[in-house]
Amino acid sequence: MAATASLKSSLRLPSPISDFSGAAVSVSAQKSRRSWQPRGARVQVSAAADSKNILVMGGTRFIGVFLSRLLVKEGHQVTLFTRGKAPITQQLPGESDAEYAEFSSKIQHLKGDRMDFEFVKASLAAKGYDVVYDINGREAAEVEPIIDALPDLEQYIYCSSAGVYLKSDLLPHCEADAVDPKSRHKGKLETESLLTARGVNWTSIRPVYIYGPHNYNPVEEWFFHRLKAGRPIPIPGAGNQITQLGHVKDLAAAFNLVLGNPKASQQIFNISGAKYVTFDGLARACAKAGGFPEPELVHYNPKEFDFGKKKAFPFRDQHFFASIEKATRELGWTPEFDLVEGLTDSYNLDFGRGTFRKAADFTTDDMILGKKLATV
């Protein structure tokens, strides 16, 4: 903890690093949410003049699952553009039969491959959407046909990533910070440039790490698998690397707030949790969320191992976090979930019910633990 405190002092973080070394949080004491409604959500509209014809690119895996529900609740006509490989709707844990029936009766589907640019242009032009939420776009070439098809588009709301920022010693990352043109997310930067060049009214959201029910990236699930198996948790370095997670429902609420918002025009917003957390702290937070005992943490030097193509840890081995001050100031958005509460929500509505996206794979763990035992 002394090392963490020293880091905190030297970085002068605007929000404190989360500390999970205190008393355990009871899972049963967490707030129950039978019907999720984010703070600051607008009153459901009934007037046709306020309703938008909205296209969501994606929408059946993670972010769009929660975003589309918010948009439908507000009276918008919502169409999901997907390849049709997954069910368009599925009832969420904690969602009543009536809520699910209401959503299912109103959501629409456009089946297609967004890489089939001629199909995209023809089908979207015929529908004439007012707003596009692009959840799964990665390259500018995927976006241009959408713009071509919708010359009267009111707003293009794009899911980018905080991964576009150039690595820096000065943190947290802010929206005006330098970006990395060689980033693996460079296509998202090129998309923002394209939207600007084409004169589109756009808004870009840059999440850090996203977590929550239905997460298809092994973020909290990676920790839950090891906690459930009663295994030590291997963590690279000293474990005091600082990172940041944002709950998917908070992200969906932010996407909802930029819709038709003049303060969001031609703007970028970082969206994540209010606090930062160390790798060690995250492991402890996951344990508290799932009601597990204090985890055994094993630190290792990644340079001593050749993991091949396997990923030994779900986060980049560096400090990585961003300021959400602009979103709170300009949009009036604040995260609803603190980290332990959000992880508890994820555990109770997903992993704790026996559902997960990827089976446990402890191959790299065994390499690390085997070497540690050999050197004892």
Side-chain angles (χ1 to χ4, degrees):
M1 291 300 294
T4 303
S6 176
L7 262 172
K8 176 181 174 182
S9 176
S10 64
L11 288 172
R12 298 189 183 277
L13 302 180
S15 46
I17 302 171
S18 298
D19 183 358
F20 302 109
S21 59
V25 174
S26 170
V27 174
S28 62
Q30 299 299 319
K31 298 177 183 177
S32 61
R33 290 182 177 81
R34 281 177 288 189
S35 179
W36 168 60
Q37 186 73 13
R39 294 174 190 164
R42 294 169 294 189
V43 177
Q44 182 170 335
V45 297
S46 56
D50 293 325
S51 178
K52 300 295 183 184
N53 186 11
I54 297 175
L55 176 68
V56 178
M57 301 298 292
T60 60
R61 295 186 73 190
F62 188 32
I63 301 170
V65 170
F66 298 96
L67 172 60
S68 58
R69 278 167 167 76
L70 286 184
L71 297 174
V72 167
K73 281 182 179 179
E74 292 208 345
H76 302 295
Q77 181 178 316
V78 180
T79 300
L80 307 183
F81 185 109
T82 80
R83 291 174 295 177
K85 293 185 177 182
I88 299 307
T89 66
Q90 54 182 310
Q91 188 167 5
L92 301 177
E95 185 177 40
S96 71
D97 292 343
E99 288 172 327
Y100 176 62
E102 177 77 2
F103 174 73
S104 299
S105 68
K106 293 182 177 179
I107 201 72
Q108 298 184 37
H109 182 221
L110 180 58
K111 181 179 178 180
D113 184 346
R114 71 177 296 162
M115 300 306 293
D116 184 346
F117 297 156
E118 292 307 313
F119 172 80
V120 169
K121 285 192 280 189
S123 57
L124 269 57
K127 298 288 185 179
Y129 297 101
D130 301 318
V131 176
V132 171
Y133 277 96
D134 195 343
I135 303 300
N136 60 11
R138 298 189 64 84
E139 305 293 338
E142 303 169 2
V143 174
E144 194 154 22
I146 300 174
I147 301 172
D148 290 341
L150 301 170
D152 298 323
L153 188 67
E154 296 177 15
Q155 191 176 12
Y156 199 103
I157 303 171
Y158 187 60
C159 186
S160 183
S161 169
V164 302
Y165 292 115
L166 187 66
K167 188 175 180 180
S168 173
D169 293 328
L170 300 175
L171 295 169
H173 289 298
C174 298
E175 289 84 352
D177 284 359
V179 293
D180 183 0
K182 297 181 180 179
S183 160
R184 70 184 184 91
H185 299 292
K186 64 180 181 179
K188 293 184 178 291
L189 291 175
E190 291 165 355
T191 297
E192 292 172 355
S193 296
L194 171 68
L195 293 167
T196 301
R198 293 290 299 270
V200 177
N201 177 31
W202 59 271
T203 304
S204 183
I205 301 294
R206 292 179 178 171
V208 187
Y209 289 112
I210 312 169
Y211 74 105
H214 291 271
N215 192 0
Y216 55 83
N217 285 322
V219 177
E220 68 269 44
E221 180 179 290
W222 187 92
F223 292 92
F224 290 152
H225 271 309
R226 285 150 182 79
L227 290 163
K228 183 179 179 181
R231 295 177 60 98
I233 299 180
I235 295 180
N240 57 6
Q241 303 91 319
I242 302 167
T243 193
Q244 183 183 27
L245 286 77
H247 197 286
V248 65
K249 296 175 186 175
D250 286 330
L251 177 59
F255 270 117
N256 184 45
L257 283 174
V258 302
L259 176 61
N261 190 335
K263 292 183 178 180
S265 179
Q266 311 281 323
Q267 295 296 313
I268 297 167
F269 297 97
N270 295 329
I271 297 294
S272 195
K275 288 192 176 184
Y276 315 131
V277 63
T278 64
F279 287 170
D280 283 1
L282 179 55
R284 297 186 186 106
C286 286
K288 285 179 169 50
F292 296 103
E294 180 82 6
E296 177 187 353
L297 307 181
V298 176
H299 299 105
Y300 66 95
N301 182 358
K303 294 181 180 179
E304 296 178 357
F305 298 89
D306 180 6
F307 298 119
K309 294 184 178 181
K310 288 187 176 292
K311 194 173 182 180
F313 194 67
F315 298 92
R316 59 185 71 189
D317 186 11
Q318 65 181 69
H319 299 309
F320 179 51
F321 50 98
S323 169
I324 60 171
E325 194 272 335
K326 179 179 177 181
T328 59
R329 181 185 69 245
E330 299 295 331
L331 303 177
W333 169 85
T334 55
E336 179 180 358
F337 293 90
D338 68 31
L339 186 57
V340 173
E341 184 185 20
L343 289 167
T344 301
D345 179 77
S346 179
Y347 185 85
N348 288 346
L349 298 182
D350 202 345
F351 195 94
R353 294 172 177 255
T355 57
F356 47 83
R357 313 290 89 73
K358 295 183 180 180
D361 181 356
F362 303 128
T363 305
T364 57
D365 298 47
D366 291 339
M367 292 172 63
I368 296 164
L369 297 174
K371 184 166 184 175
K372 287 285 185 181
L373 288 172
T375 57
V376 172

